[in-house]
């Protein structure tokens, strides 16, 4: 396949391979640097919110938080909170990190390399005595 080259905004050439590839910056651009930094921070926060929503809905004992309360606290719509809490991948990650099943026994723990990071998030933000 022939490589396609396109001029970037800064005049530098980029090779297109089907994935987003950004050339290393020749000079620092404070605005773009800050946008990249905030975008990464937003992804991290979104991940934390997703883990906590799943935890509150599927792992909280003796009973889970009400969907409306979670949605309100997370500034989410009820349907958005429901969709977020029902993501199997997220529920599996929470189960692995807590090393226990969800309250219905549908999702159970298994080993993951991200366990320590996610467990630290849950321990930091979950109400005391619930993890």
């Amino acid at each position: 396949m022939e490589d396609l080259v396109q001029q970037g905004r800064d005049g530098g050439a980029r090779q297109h391979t089907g994935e987003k590839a950004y050339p290393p910056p020749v000079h620092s651009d404070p605005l773009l640097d800050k946008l990249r930094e905030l975008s990464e921070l937003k992804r991290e926060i979104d991940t934390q919110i997703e883990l906590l929503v799943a935890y509150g809905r599927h792992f909280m004992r003796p009973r889970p938080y009400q969907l409306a309360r979670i949605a309100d606290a997370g500034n989410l719509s009820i349907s958005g909170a429901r969709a977020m809490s029902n993501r199997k991948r997220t529920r599996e990650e929470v189960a692995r990190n807590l090393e226990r099943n969800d309250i219905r026994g549908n999702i159970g723990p298994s080993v993951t390399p991200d366990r320590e990071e996610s467990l630290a998030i849950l321990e930091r933000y979950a109400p005391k005595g619930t993890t």
Side-chain angles (χ1 to χ4, degrees), residues 6-123:
Q6 177 186 30
Q7 287 296 107
R9 181 178 187 276
D10 61 357
R14 278 192 293 196
Q15 185 177 11
H16 287 273
T17 60
E19 296 181 23
K20 288 185 179 180
Y22 299 100
V26 176
H27 62 282
S28 180
D29 184 319
L31 178 103
L32 297 178
D33 292 344
K34 190 63 174 180
L35 285 172
R36 285 184 193 102
E37 176 187 332
L38 292 173
S39 179
E40 179 60 31
L41 182 60
K42 183 178 182 292
R43 277 190 294 275
E44 292 172 12
I45 290 170
D46 288 344
T47 298
Q48 291 179 19
I49 289 172
E50 188 172 331
L51 288 168
L52 290 170
V53 167
Y55 172 76
R57 286 294 295 164
H58 297 284
F59 294 87
M60 211 45 208
R61 293 178 184 174
R63 81 185 116 130
Y65 278 92
Q66 293 176 343
L67 194 56
R69 290 184 69 199
I70 287 178
D72 185 53
N75 196 28
L76 304 164
S77 66
I78 290 177
S79 62
R82 179 183 296 112
M84 187 179 285
S85 74
N86 286 333
R87 290 183 184 136
K88 185 176 180 183
R89 168 190 59 80
T90 304
R91 290 179 16 221
E92 288 172 342
E93 184 175 347
V94 173
R96 283 189 303 266
N97 296 331
L98 294 175
E99 296 181 340
R100 65 178 163 98
N101 292 345
D102 66 357
I103 56 177
R104 293 190 175 145
N106 296 331
I107 304 287
S110 64
V111 180
T112 180
D114 299 323
R115 179 184 184 284
E116 289 78 22
E117 179 183 347
S118 297
L119 186 56
I121 291 169
L122 289 172
E123 286 177 347

